[in-house]
Amino acid sequence: MKLLTTKLLLLLAVFSCYAQPKGKIVKIDGFKSKFVQARNIEIWLPAEYTSNPQQAFPVLYMQDGQNVFNPLTSMHKMAWEADDTAAKLIAIKRVEPVIIVAIWSTNQRYMEYFPEKAAKNFTKTDIEVFNKAKEQSKIKGNDFLGDEYLKFITEELKPYIDKQYRTKSDKENTSICGSSMGALISLYAICEYPEIFGQAACLSTHWPLLLDSNHTGPSEAFKKYLYEKLPSSKDHRIYFDYGTITLDQYYEPHQKTVDNIMASKGYTDKNWKTKKFEGAAHVEKAWADRFNQILIFLYTKENKSSKKTIKHNTAKTGRQ
C-alpha cells in the first residue's frame, strides 16, 4: 500500500509538471478602426497574468490572427496553436511570460500587408506587372493600405491593449510577427515605427511580393526601401526563416540578399537570426512547428538578462 501511494504521488508530481494552465483567450469581435476595416482581435493572457497580479508583461502582436490559436478558425483548419507552445515554454522557464495579441486579417489582406512605401520605388513596368498580377489573382482593393494598417496597430490597437492590460509598453518589450505577407508587414512595421517595435519575427517572408517569381522588380523595390529604412542594430532585433518546398522554395536567393543588407547595417548573431528549414512548406503547420524558436529568440531569459532593466507602471486605471 505504501509503495502504491508513493507511485501515485510520483505520478501526480509528473502530471503537475505538464498539466500547466495555459492561460486564457479574450476575443473582441469587430474591433473598429478609422483607418482600416473592423476585424476580430484575440488576446492570450498567460497563466501568470492571473497568478501574479502585480506583474507587467511584454506583448507580441501577430498577423493573420485567425490562424494563431484555433484550428477551427484557421485558413486550412491548421493553427499555429501559439498559446500551447508559449505556455509550455513558460512553464519550463525557457522564456518569460508574454501576452500574445492575434490580429485577424480581412478580405483586403494583401493590400493591408503590402509594404506601402516600397511601391514608391516601382518602375512603370513594375506597376503594370503588379496591376496585372492583382487582376489575375483576384486581389481585392485598389489602394495600398500598409500604412493605414500600421496606423491602426500603433494608434488604436496598441494604446487599447496598453490601457486594458498590464503591459510593458516600451519598444524593448513590444514585438511583431507574421508569416508570408504577414512577415513583410511585420518587417515594414519595425522599419516605419522603430520607436514602437523593438523586435520582429518574419517567417517565410514573401520576398517576391507578387504571387510568382517571374518579375523581380517589386521585390527589388522593397529591398531598396529596406536598405534605406532598416532600424538601428543597436536597439532592435530581427528574426528571419524560410523552408525549401512549395512557395518557400523561391525565397532563399532573396533572403541571402537581405542577409547582406542586415550585415551591412551592423546586425550580428547577437540581434539577428536567419534560419533555413529543409523540407518545410509554406503552411501553418510548418510555422507552428518552429514557433517555439521564435519565442526563444524573442523572449529567452538569456537575451533579456543582458538588457537594462526598465521600470513600468502597472497600476494604470482600467487595466485588468
Side-chain angles (χ1 to χ4, degrees), residues 51-98:
S51 62
N52 300 322
Q54 299 305 312
Q55 184 176 351
F57 299 81
V59 182
L60 172 61
Y61 292 87
M62 295 187 65
Q63 319 306 329
D64 292 311
Q66 67 276 9
N67 301 331
V68 171
F69 301 124
N70 189 353
L72 296 180
T73 61
S74 65
M75 187 176 299
H76 301 108
K77 304 305 177 186
M78 191 181 302
W80 292 41
E81 299 189 21
D83 49 339
D84 289 343
T85 300
K88 289 174 184 176
L89 290 175
I90 293 167
I92 62 174
K93 302 188 184 305
R94 187 66 178 88
V95 301
E96 64 177 318
V98 57

Side-chain angles (χ1 to χ4, degrees), residues 1-21:
M1 184 67 181
K2 184 177 180 181
L3 180 61
L4 179 60
T5 302
T6 301
K7 287 183 177 180
L8 285 172
L9 288 173
L10 285 171
L11 284 172
L12 286 172
V14 171
F15 179 79
S16 67
C17 290
Y18 289 93
Q20 299 288 341

